[in-house]
Amino acid sequence: MNKKWWQNEVVYQIYPKSFFDSNNDGIGDIYGITQKLDYLKELGITMIWICPIYQSPMDDNGYDISDYENIHPDFGTKEDLEQLILEAKKRNIKLIMDLVINHTSDEHFWFQQALKDSKSPYRNYYIFKEGKDGHPPTNWRSVFGGSTWEKVPHEDNLYYFHSFSKKQPDLNWENPQMRQELYAMINRWLEKGIAGFRVDAINFIKKDQRFLDGDIDGSDQLSSCFDYCRNIPGLEVFFDEMRKETFDKYDCMTVSEAVGVDYPNVHSFIGEHGCFSMMFDFNYTNIDVENEDVFKPLNWSVKEYKELLFKSQTEIQKLGWSAPFLENHDQPRCVNKLIKDKKYHDYYGPTMLATMYFYLRGTPFIYQGQELGMLNFKRTSIEEFDDINAHAQYQRALEEGFRKEEAIEFLNNRSRDNSRTPFPWKDDLYGGFSKHQPWILMNENYHKINAMAQVQNPKSVYAYYQKMITIRQQSEYHDTLVYGTFEPLESDDEIICYKRCYAKQTVVVICNFSSQKKSIKMRSSIKKIILNNYRDIWFKECHLILNPYQSLVIEL
Ligand code: NOJ
């Protein structure tokens, strides 16, 4: 694979509503991000991905866009965004935006026109269908619960389709005119000097045109829509056209959200003929729940996780580039998800996880607060949750027969709100995020876990991330850690061990994923210890003894 500039980036994901509130209205904003650029520069990242900041009624916190060309006033103005791009550039930080083109808001002009007038060309921008015998056209369940079909007001038997909430009608990608409108919009944004896009739910754009009922798989008598509107053959035709009409014309970086993609289909997403620069592979991300339902927890093992992780790396390496991540705004905090022994949640757990994913082959993404080792919260009632999906999953859990307390426990472990709590800048009122009551409750532990405490402490999770980034970006190991091949190494079931090789250099990453001491036989001698999350390293004969959740990066 030819070297590309975007392979060198380290991306930091910002959830703008919760990053920093510069005007003290309780909601984070664009100028707040600008004010914190020096913090990000110090950390060492080179690119920011901002979740949607466009005009939106905020049914799904901005993933329901009512105007692609304008900024939501809660976040600021177009001028604020221009200033952010400029100030970031001064610090050599690039910016990518979120591109949400599977659906719009129902308050988008196109949809409003489509509802108003059956003769309007905008009708065909969305998916409208007649119901069957007094029922919706199919029995599909939307991602946020309930039918994927919503009845059109004042029409006898007409429904529109939505994969997510009913306020997020899906666009009809079968319509070439609609596609051209989207491409023009994408190009307008690229002209403004952004470095590219994170592309939302893009594997939903093709629907199974037969519109058949699926097998019922829940007490709601519905069938998950995934088999009918996600990763459907024909997707690659849209991808091809979009790439040629937009991304190919710019030297931009694109990263696709790609949940549930099988490896034989990865070539449409990445590599020489793929649509995007890189992809988020979720095949090992949702290991702890079945079918992304929070009330269906799975008892996973490190061995399974390792197998999935290695498969992802080796399959993607065959043709393209990946985007390793541990967290995002849809995931709970990784320490709670992946470190089973709470005793290690403070330092060794988060730093071991960081080492494990950060040196995988790909462009690493860090989600805000991950660099502080932020943890999940504890809520006691459903009213304390904001997320539309948390409410939907709560309802479904009750329908499936769980008690309220059990449903809340599922949400405490897995709700998307866990990663959306305001960023804890310091141990002050509202964590220094705002002087106003934030839009969503803080995570109470901000007194202990906050940026100010960690930036000043050389033994903090933050300091570890800083060091880890410097090693990837600026050390003599740069080429190996960025361009090197990935090779899995055999080890104990609870140790994740792999190597990266480039030219004559070999770097090995060893992570003890358990609260037990483990030993590992060394077949070659260690030339240098590049990174260690413990102070020391222990040997016994030719065995390396690993402490609980110890991680090492060594040169052989
Ligand atoms: C994926 C986004 O990451 C998520 O937050 C959103 O709810 C859905 N796509 C719908 O846009």
Side-chain angles (χ1 to χ4, degrees), residues 60 63 100 103 144 164 168 198 200-201 257 329-330 416 420:
D60 184 18
Y63 283 93
V100 188
H103 44 269
F144 297 153
F164 295 89
Q168 293 165 299
R198 174 266 186 184
D200 184 72
E257 191 188 27
H329 62 292
D330 297 330
R416 310 196 297 180
R420 299 175 179 190

Side-chain angles (χ1 to χ4, degrees), residues 13-17 48-54 61-63 75 96-98 198 329 367:
Q13 183 192 348
I14 291 183
Y15 200 67
K17 238 183 147 172
I48 300 170
W49 149 28
I50 313 186
C51 286
I53 48 176
Y54 314 91
N61 280 340
Y63 283 93
F75 294 129
I96 61 173
M97 304 269 286
D98 220 303
R198 174 266 186 184
H329 62 292
Y367 179 71

Side-chain angles (χ1 to χ4, degrees), residues 144-207:
F144 297 153
S147 170
T148 51
W149 299 97
E150 182 68 13
K151 190 119 191 317
V152 177
H154 319 300
E155 297 254 10
D156 248 6
N157 187 29
L158 195 66
Y159 294 78
Y160 69 85
F161 177 81
H162 58 91
S163 304
F164 295 89
S165 95
K166 64 177 182 203
K167 283 188 68 63
Q168 293 165 299
D170 282 41
L171 287 162
N172 177 18
W173 273 73
E174 306 294 331
N175 177 351
Q177 194 187 337
M178 187 291 292
R179 300 201 300 271
Q180 287 303 325
E181 289 236 35
L182 287 183
Y183 303 153
M185 176 277 290
I186 293 173
N187 291 339
R188 277 195 294 278
W189 274 106
L190 287 169
E191 291 295 336
K192 287 190 207 290
I194 61 167
F197 294 106
R198 174 266 186 184
V199 191
D200 184 72
I202 198 67
N203 52 342
F204 280 78
I205 60 178
K206 179 83 189 175
K207 324 293 183 223

